[in-house]
Amino acid sequence: MSNKSRIEFDGFEEAIARLNKLNGNVKNISEKALKKTHEIITQKAQDAITPHNETHQTEKTLRKEAEIEWNGTLASVKTGFSISEGGLASIFLMYGTQSHAVSNQYGKNLGVAEETKRDAKMYNAFFGSSTRKEVAEAQKEIFNNEIRRLNG
């Protein structure tokens, strides 16, 4: 599952205002914070996919390089698995599947495909409250360190 992450923490607007007042390079600091965000999420996703590595196909689609995208003044970084490169299974791992009847192309019933439980660790790697908190704290720390550095 591919996802875009942005910079989001309490006091973000104030930090930007202080950096601008101190003539800080907001773009570079934002990119540094997004790269750290990517690093945190990618490590958690890597840990979560490890038990599911029979073919390593899904693992290979994990975005390991942080590609920062700017849209005007908004920046984001893609995290997670590339669906177009074969990471579709990550969605089923994250959300699970329902049990359902399976039939062939002629309508013959072949039995029931068992339900696959969702992998909470995989889901939490991207959307869990502990991940969001860790990311927000890391982003805030990067901005605050730059503000302290510029203040002397």
Side-chain angles (χ1 to χ4, degrees), residues 85-98:
E85 294 175 15
L88 184 62
S90 66
I91 294 173
F92 299 116
L93 290 171
M94 243 186 269
Y95 296 104
T97 62
Q98 296 179 346

PDB file of all heavy atoms in Angstrom, residues 85-98:
ATOM      1  N   GLU A  85       4.174  -1.986  -8.951  1.00  0.00           N
ATOM      2  CA  GLU A  85       5.347  -2.852  -9.096  1.00  0.00           C
ATOM      3  C   GLU A  85       5.158  -4.206  -8.413  1.00  0.00           C
ATOM      4  O   GLU A  85       6.113  -4.959  -8.272  1.00  0.00           O
ATOM      5  CB  GLU A  85       6.584  -2.146  -8.546  1.00  0.00           C
ATOM      6  CG  GLU A  85       6.962  -0.917  -9.352  1.00  0.00           C
ATOM      7  CD  GLU A  85       8.108  -0.147  -8.734  1.00  0.00           C
ATOM      8  OE1 GLU A  85       8.808  -0.695  -7.845  1.00  0.00           O
ATOM      9  OE2 GLU A  85       8.312   1.005  -9.137  1.00  0.00           O
ATOM     10  N   GLY A  86       3.939  -4.496  -7.940  1.00  0.00           N
ATOM     11  CA  GLY A  86       3.664  -5.801  -7.351  1.00  0.00           C
ATOM     12  C   GLY A  86       3.368  -5.809  -5.875  1.00  0.00           C
ATOM     13  O   GLY A  86       3.367  -6.866  -5.248  1.00  0.00           O
ATOM     14  N   GLY A  87       3.095  -4.659  -5.296  1.00  0.00           N
ATOM     15  CA  GLY A  87       2.854  -4.580  -3.857  1.00  0.00           C
ATOM     16  C   GLY A  87       1.402  -4.709  -3.450  1.00  0.00           C
ATOM     17  O   GLY A  87       1.043  -4.378  -2.320  1.00  0.00           O
ATOM     18  N   LEU A  88       0.553  -5.217  -4.343  1.00  0.00           N
ATOM     19  CA  LEU A  88      -0.876  -5.336  -4.050  1.00  0.00           C
ATOM     20  C   LEU A  88      -1.137  -6.190  -2.802  1.00  0.00           C
ATOM     21  O   LEU A  88      -2.043  -5.894  -2.023  1.00  0.00           O
ATOM     22  CB  LEU A  88      -1.614  -5.922  -5.251  1.00  0.00           C
ATOM     23  CG  LEU A  88      -3.129  -6.028  -5.128  1.00  0.00           C
ATOM     24  CD1 LEU A  88      -3.752  -4.651  -4.968  1.00  0.00           C
ATOM     25  CD2 LEU A  88      -3.706  -6.726  -6.353  1.00  0.00           C
ATOM     26  N   ALA A  89      -0.331  -7.195  -2.591  1.00  0.00           N
ATOM     27  CA  ALA A  89      -0.538  -8.082  -1.437  1.00  0.00           C
ATOM     28  C   ALA A  89      -0.467  -7.331  -0.116  1.00  0.00           C
ATOM     29  O   ALA A  89      -1.090  -7.738   0.871  1.00  0.00           O
ATOM     30  CB  ALA A  89       0.481  -9.206  -1.454  1.00  0.00           C
ATOM     31  N   SER A  90       0.244  -6.221  -0.089  1.00  0.00           N
ATOM     32  CA  SER A  90       0.349  -5.449   1.155  1.00  0.00           C
ATOM     33  C   SER A  90      -1.009  -4.949   1.621  1.00  0.00           C
ATOM     34  O   SER A  90      -1.258  -4.837   2.821  1.00  0.00           O
ATOM     35  CB  SER A  90       1.310  -4.271   0.982  1.00  0.00           C
ATOM     36  OG  SER A  90       0.791  -3.323   0.065  1.00  0.00           O
ATOM     37  N   ILE A  91      -1.905  -4.662   0.688  1.00  0.00           N
ATOM     38  CA  ILE A  91      -3.249  -4.202   1.046  1.00  0.00           C
ATOM     39  C   ILE A  91      -4.011  -5.323   1.745  1.00  0.00           C
ATOM     40  O   ILE A  91      -4.665  -5.109   2.759  1.00  0.00           O
ATOM     41  CB  ILE A  91      -4.017  -3.711  -0.198  1.00  0.00           C
ATOM     42  CG1 ILE A  91      -3.329  -2.462  -0.751  1.00  0.00           C
ATOM     43  CG2 ILE A  91      -5.472  -3.417   0.145  1.00  0.00           C
ATOM     44  CD1 ILE A  91      -3.887  -1.985  -2.056  1.00  0.00           C
ATOM     45  N   PHE A  92      -3.904  -6.541   1.206  1.00  0.00           N
ATOM     46  CA  PHE A  92      -4.590  -7.678   1.817  1.00  0.00           C
ATOM     47  C   PHE A  92      -4.002  -8.005   3.185  1.00  0.00           C
ATOM     48  O   PHE A  92      -4.722  -8.409   4.097  1.00  0.00           O
ATOM     49  CB  PHE A  92      -4.540  -8.897   0.906  1.00  0.00           C
ATOM     50  CG  PHE A  92      -5.208  -8.660  -0.413  1.00  0.00           C
ATOM     51  CD1 PHE A  92      -4.483  -8.689  -1.588  1.00  0.00           C
ATOM     52  CD2 PHE A  92      -6.561  -8.381  -0.481  1.00  0.00           C
ATOM     53  CE1 PHE A  92      -5.099  -8.464  -2.803  1.00  0.00           C
ATOM     54  CE2 PHE A  92      -7.189  -8.140  -1.692  1.00  0.00           C
ATOM     55  CZ  PHE A  92      -6.456  -8.184  -2.858  1.00  0.00           C
ATOM     56  N   LEU A  93      -2.697  -7.811   3.334  1.00  0.00           N
ATOM     57  CA  LEU A  93      -2.077  -8.029   4.642  1.00  0.00           C
ATOM     58  C   LEU A  93      -2.563  -6.987   5.641  1.00  0.00           C
ATOM     59  O   LEU A  93      -2.846  -7.302   6.793  1.00  0.00           O
ATOM     60  CB  LEU A  93      -0.557  -7.956   4.524  1.00  0.00           C
ATOM     61  CG  LEU A  93       0.107  -9.103   3.771  1.00  0.00           C
ATOM     62  CD1 LEU A  93       1.574  -8.795   3.544  1.00  0.00           C
ATOM     63  CD2 LEU A  93      -0.071 -10.409   4.517  1.00  0.00           C
ATOM     64  N   MET A  94      -2.679  -5.750   5.198  1.00  0.00           N
ATOM     65  CA  MET A  94      -3.080  -4.668   6.080  1.00  0.00           C
ATOM     66  C   MET A  94      -4.532  -4.757   6.529  1.00  0.00           C
ATOM     67  O   MET A  94      -4.844  -4.503   7.679  1.00  0.00           O
ATOM     68  CB  MET A  94      -2.879  -3.336   5.367  1.00  0.00           C
ATOM     69  CG  MET A  94      -1.879  -2.478   6.055  1.00  0.00           C
ATOM     70  SD  MET A  94      -1.778  -0.869   5.330  1.00  0.00           S
ATOM     71  CE  MET A  94      -0.503  -1.136   4.146  1.00  0.00           C
ATOM     72  N   TYR A  95      -5.406  -5.106   5.597  1.00  0.00           N
ATOM     73  CA  TYR A  95      -6.836  -5.073   5.889  1.00  0.00           C
ATOM     74  C   TYR A  95      -7.482  -6.450   6.009  1.00  0.00           C
ATOM     75  O   TYR A  95      -8.623  -6.566   6.439  1.00  0.00           O
ATOM     76  CB  TYR A  95      -7.574  -4.271   4.810  1.00  0.00           C
ATOM     77  CG  TYR A  95      -7.148  -2.831   4.799  1.00  0.00           C
ATOM     78  CD1 TYR A  95      -6.297  -2.347   3.821  1.00  0.00           C
ATOM     79  CD2 TYR A  95      -7.575  -1.954   5.789  1.00  0.00           C
ATOM     80  CE1 TYR A  95      -5.897  -1.026   3.816  1.00  0.00           C
ATOM     81  CE2 TYR A  95      -7.182  -0.632   5.791  1.00  0.00           C
ATOM     82  CZ  TYR A  95      -6.340  -0.172   4.804  1.00  0.00           C
ATOM     83  OH  TYR A  95      -5.929   1.134   4.806  1.00  0.00           O
ATOM     84  N   GLY A  96      -6.770  -7.502   5.617  1.00  0.00           N
ATOM     85  CA  GLY A  96      -7.333  -8.847   5.668  1.00  0.00           C
ATOM     86  C   GLY A  96      -8.308  -9.081   4.520  1.00  0.00           C
ATOM     87  O   GLY A  96      -8.539  -8.207   3.689  1.00  0.00           O
ATOM     88  N   THR A  97      -8.859 -10.291   4.469  1.00  0.00           N
ATOM     89  CA  THR A  97      -9.851 -10.636   3.451  1.00  0.00           C
ATOM     90  C   THR A  97     -10.993 -11.377   4.127  1.00  0.00           C
ATOM     91  O   THR A  97     -10.835 -11.951   5.193  1.00  0.00           O
ATOM     92  CB  THR A  97      -9.260 -11.549   2.351  1.00  0.00           C
ATOM     93  OG1 THR A  97      -8.844 -12.774   2.955  1.00  0.00           O
ATOM     94  CG2 THR A  97      -8.090 -10.896   1.637  1.00  0.00           C
ATOM     95  N   GLN A  98     -12.132 -11.395   3.484  1.00  0.00           N
ATOM     96  CA  GLN A  98     -13.273 -12.147   3.990  1.00  0.00           C
ATOM     97  C   GLN A  98     -13.239 -13.549   3.401  1.00  0.00           C
ATOM     98  O   GLN A  98     -12.674 -13.768   2.334  1.00  0.00           O
ATOM     99  CB  GLN A  98     -14.574 -11.469   3.588  1.00  0.00           C
ATOM    100  CG  GLN A  98     -14.753 -10.108   4.194  1.00  0.00           C
ATOM    101  CD  GLN A  98     -16.048  -9.452   3.742  1.00  0.00           C
ATOM    102  OE1 GLN A  98     -16.669  -9.893   2.793  1.00  0.00           O
ATOM    103  NE2 GLN A  98     -16.438  -8.407   4.434  1.00  0.00           N
TER     104      GLN A  98
END
